[in-house]
């Protein structure tokens, strides 16, 4: 591929690049190029060839991040990390991530399948979409990527080398600050609505909660279990009724498995809390929440069953077949999942980055109720996580 | 320094190298060169200048390992790891590791202080030596190296980069196999005396023990807490009555803190078990064991007090000051220390590499008693480790 020096591409350059360097479009094809990213972290070019109907996505990392008006430098190495994580995920879960067409390290550019026929799951859920195959798909993604990148399912020496190539300090720093630190004190980056100031202050002074957060933070910093996606919220998942595609693994690193599983569940719970605003009747709200709760249970049960089955068929660690070890492993995985789900809910209400599910609710009192609900569910999950031993404990903490 | 292609140096070449490349000896000095290593993993040249009384050690890694007749290839990169670990340790604990005079990556060669006035601690203990400052020194070494390379005491982004440079798959593999796997089944590498076959078989069939070993193995594989020495037995420590120098950190990697602390304690306990053979009277045995037990308590207490004091003065992690977190951290550290101490005792009786403390006992029945004692203490430590909450629990498990 090209070795052009790094610079942000224009729509025209992106089109030229696709013609010159990719084997996707016919020579001399008349292409359309449109930048469709939000411009905060990456440029995203949609390159299409109307004549043949072919199209691709070219994603280029920008050397900075912009969030809520602030801008700070951010390593382009995240494009390499994203590409390498996608490669691992594609190999383990073909069909559950976009197909990869190429990578250009100099330009921090990844070329991949166009998923325009899919919708971002968060947007889909907000509009009341139903994704009957989602739990089946995402539990496969979680079980396979986490098992086969861990010491349970991959050569333990290769795992260490892979860990080295996924050292990702800058993006981990974002998580460490915004999820495991700032929401628990009066930090400048926080971003909460004045209407819930009392609930936010209660969290700042809740020492019992801080101890559990410190433990979960420690797990994020030190538990090198598996190659995580690292940012697996419903904005990183494309869906249709038949298909699920996980995107954007630029936060990938070796961390605790429960962080990825918890991210999925937290975002379903945030949407459930947001039904304060989106459901128009009590009946609709009840039914929507039941569906989301069933999805959460299906995600966990599906994950646990598939992980268990991989353990039976594909375990390579010689000591991991010690009687009782698997059961203990799954119990600690459930606890981590619950704890990290809680962290991810709390930060989406108090911290810098929110979720559209709640923020786009128009009625202020419904929005406030949704926020308070998310905080109280999140707090219960964090506080209860070390006591959980089965999914029903998790479900009970959700219901309160 | 030189960029000569790698080859094992002769005594003559080592001397020439010292003259040409080091700034230690006068120009044209008449040097003596003597290879004093055991030839299993490294060449160790003692280079001296009788006229000035100056001397140095030049340690060169060999591209293979020889243990009990077997030979297998082993990365020269371990010389870099050893050198970089020594640099970190020297900066954190000046005086507790040999001074470094240079490093030549091409030759896998580290040049350092000559410690010929010290004795290897294992040898010293076997001859009944007393090292009244050892606990004070080693607890400082442990507290400072572990605290300041962990997320508690160093920048968390730099820690990740450092973790990447200490990825050490080949040497970790030796530990994973020889400590956390082979001793628990009838593996070819095992090396136990037929006289204790019944006790060895009991360990092979002890499922409760295997579960605890699986958990400790998982910790070794995934718990990236701090930069460990990785092989901190009494053969890696030089002592005099006034001085302690930790050497040979080629197994260094990011792992669980308790593994290093446990290694020190296990080797004191192995010497204590070996008093079956070395002490000539019951009174001598009792008094020697009391001294060793007191040393163990001083190592732990010293470590805990110094670690605690660093926590109070030098903590950089914002969440780690949550009330109750430090106490929980210390409790889990004690548990890990106890578990890893147990693993290290068991493997020195059943596994490939033994300790001279026990193997050099001449009387077969005393040797057998020492081995059985080491196995039973080790087993109690491993089985009890998750239940321990203070040092007295540890001490009780030692006494049985």
């Amino acid at each position: 591929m090209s070795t052009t020096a790094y610079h942000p591409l224009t729509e025209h350059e992106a089109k030229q690049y696709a013609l010159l360097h990719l084997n996707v479009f016919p020579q001399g094809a008349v292409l359309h190029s449109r930048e469709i990213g939000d411009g905060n972290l990456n440029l995203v070019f949609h390159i299409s060839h109307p004549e043949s109907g072919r199209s691709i996505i070219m994603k280029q990392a920008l050397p900075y991040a912009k969030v809520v008006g602030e801008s700070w430098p951010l390593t382009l190495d995240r494009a390499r990390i994203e590409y390498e994580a996608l490669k691992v995920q594609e190999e383990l879960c073909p069909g559950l991530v976009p197909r990869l067409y190429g990578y250009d390290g100099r330009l921090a550019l990844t070329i991949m399948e166009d998923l325009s026929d899919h919708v971002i799951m968060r947007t889909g859920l907000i509009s009341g979409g139903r994704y009957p195959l989602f739990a089946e798909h995402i539990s496969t993604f979680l079980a396979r990527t986490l098992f086969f990148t861990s010491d349970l399912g991959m050569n333990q020496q290769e795992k260490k080398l892979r860990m080295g190539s996924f050292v990702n300090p800058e993006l981990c720093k974002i998580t460490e600050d915004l999820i495991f630190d700032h929401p628990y004190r009066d930090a400048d980056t926080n971003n909460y609505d004045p209407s819930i100031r009392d609930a936010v202050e209660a969290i700042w002074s809740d020492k019992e909660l801080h101890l559990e957060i410190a433990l979960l933070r420690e797990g994020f910093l030190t538990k090198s279990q598996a190659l995580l996606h690292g940012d697996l919220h419903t904005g990183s998942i494309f869906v249709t009724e038949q298909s699920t595609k996980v995107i954007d693994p630029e936060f990938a690193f070796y961390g605790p498995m429960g962080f990825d599983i918890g991210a999925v569940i937290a975002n379903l719970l945030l949407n459930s809390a947001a039904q304060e605003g989106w459901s128009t009747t009590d009946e609709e709200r009840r039914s929507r929440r039941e569906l989301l709760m069933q999805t959460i249970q299906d995600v966990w049960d599906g994950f646990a069953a598939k992980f268990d089955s991989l353990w039976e068929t594909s375990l390579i660690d010689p000591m991991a077949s010690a009687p009782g070890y698997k059961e203990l492993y799954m119990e600690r995985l459930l606890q981590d999942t619950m704890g990290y789900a809680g962290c991810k809910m709390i930060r989406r209400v108090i911290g810098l980055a929110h979720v559209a599910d709640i923020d786009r609710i128009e009625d202020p009192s419904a929005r406030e109720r949704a926020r308070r609900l998310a905080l109280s569910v999140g707090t219960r999950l964090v506080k209860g996580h070390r006591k959980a031993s089965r999914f029903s404990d998790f479900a009970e903490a959700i219901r309160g």
Side-chain angles (χ1 to χ4, degrees), chain A residues 69 81 88 141 143 154 220 227 229 274 279 357:
Chain A
I81 292 207
V88 171
F141 178 85
M154 87 177 275
F220 185 84
L227 180 63
H229 178 283
S279 295
D357 314 58

Side-chain angles (χ1 to χ4, degrees), chain A residues 46-299:
Chain A
H46 182 262
I47 312 281
S48 59
H49 181 229
E51 204 181 306
S52 65
R54 280 185 216 161
S55 58
I56 56 165
I57 290 293
M58 289 171 53
K59 178 174 174 182
Q60 185 180 34
L62 290 167
Y64 53 80
K66 265 196 257 172
V67 185
V68 197
E70 286 196 71
S71 177
W72 66 81
L74 198 57
T75 176
L76 291 173
D77 187 48
R78 69 189 197 277
R80 177 191 62 80
I81 292 207
E82 172 166 353
Y83 170 70
E84 290 189 3
L86 271 171
K87 269 202 307 187
V88 171
Q89 292 162 354
E90 190 181 30
E91 195 177 311
L92 293 172
C93 305
L96 295 177
V97 293
R99 261 171 298 158
L100 280 171
Y101 300 135
Y103 171 68
D104 187 327
R106 282 285 205 104
L107 288 170
L109 186 70
T110 303
I111 300 104
M112 63 189 118
E113 185 180 4
D114 176 21
L115 298 169
S116 304
D117 55 331
H118 289 60
V119 61
I120 286 290
M121 187 174 181
R122 187 181 307 288
T123 315
L125 286 177
I126 291 174
S127 352
R130 287 166 184 254
Y131 306 102
L133 296 181
F134 168 73
E136 169 66 17
H137 289 158
I138 203 72
S139 60
T140 298
F141 178 85
L142 289 166
R144 292 186 60 86
T145 60
L146 298 178
F147 186 88
F148 284 116
T149 62
S150 80
D151 292 297
L152 300 169
M154 87 177 275
N155 176 284
Q156 291 152 5
Q157 277 40 65
E158 284 166 27
K159 178 219 167 192
K160 290 175 180 67
L161 295 174
R162 187 177 278 178
M163 223 171 98
S165 75
F166 282 102
V167 167
N168 197 354
E170 287 191 39
L171 279 84
C172 284
K173 170 79 172 155
I174 296 174
T175 305
E176 288 157 25
D177 287 350
L178 299 187
I179 300 188
F180 295 111
D181 174 4
H182 298 182
Y184 301 96
R185 57 187 174 89
D186 191 359
D188 285 347
T189 59
N190 285 336
N191 170 29
Y192 57 87
D193 196 84
S195 66
I196 58 160
R197 172 92 193 182
D198 60 311
V200 172
E201 284 180 349
I203 280 178
W204 290 345
S205 62
D206 187 340
K207 300 301 179 193
E208 187 196 334
L209 180 69
H210 295 185
L211 171 59
E212 302 303 321
I213 297 290
L215 289 165
L216 290 160
R217 176 179 166 87
E218 179 192 323
F220 185 84
L221 289 166
T222 64
K223 206 187 267 188
S224 307
Q225 261 182 333
L227 180 63
L228 306 189
H229 178 283
D231 194 28
L232 196 49
H233 56 79
T234 45
S236 298
I237 303 173
F238 267 123
V239 283
T240 69
E241 279 183 23
Q242 286 79 40
S243 168
T244 305
K245 307 273 186 188
V246 174
I247 60 168
D248 289 355
E250 61 204 86
F251 282 78
F253 79 110
Y254 262 83
M257 296 179 180
F259 188 77
D260 268 4
I261 318 169
V264 172
I265 292 177
N267 280 274
L268 296 171
L269 288 171
L270 286 162
N271 186 272
S272 176
Q275 295 310 317
E276 292 297 320
W278 298 107
S279 295
T280 49
T281 65
D282 283 355
E283 171 51 25
E284 190 191 336
R285 182 171 305 115
R286 198 192 51 72
S287 128
R288 191 72 188 165
R289 284 183 171 157
E290 257 176 29
L291 178 69
L292 287 162
M293 192 62 210
Q294 187 59 51
T295 307
I296 290 168
Q297 166 134 27
D298 291 346
V299 169

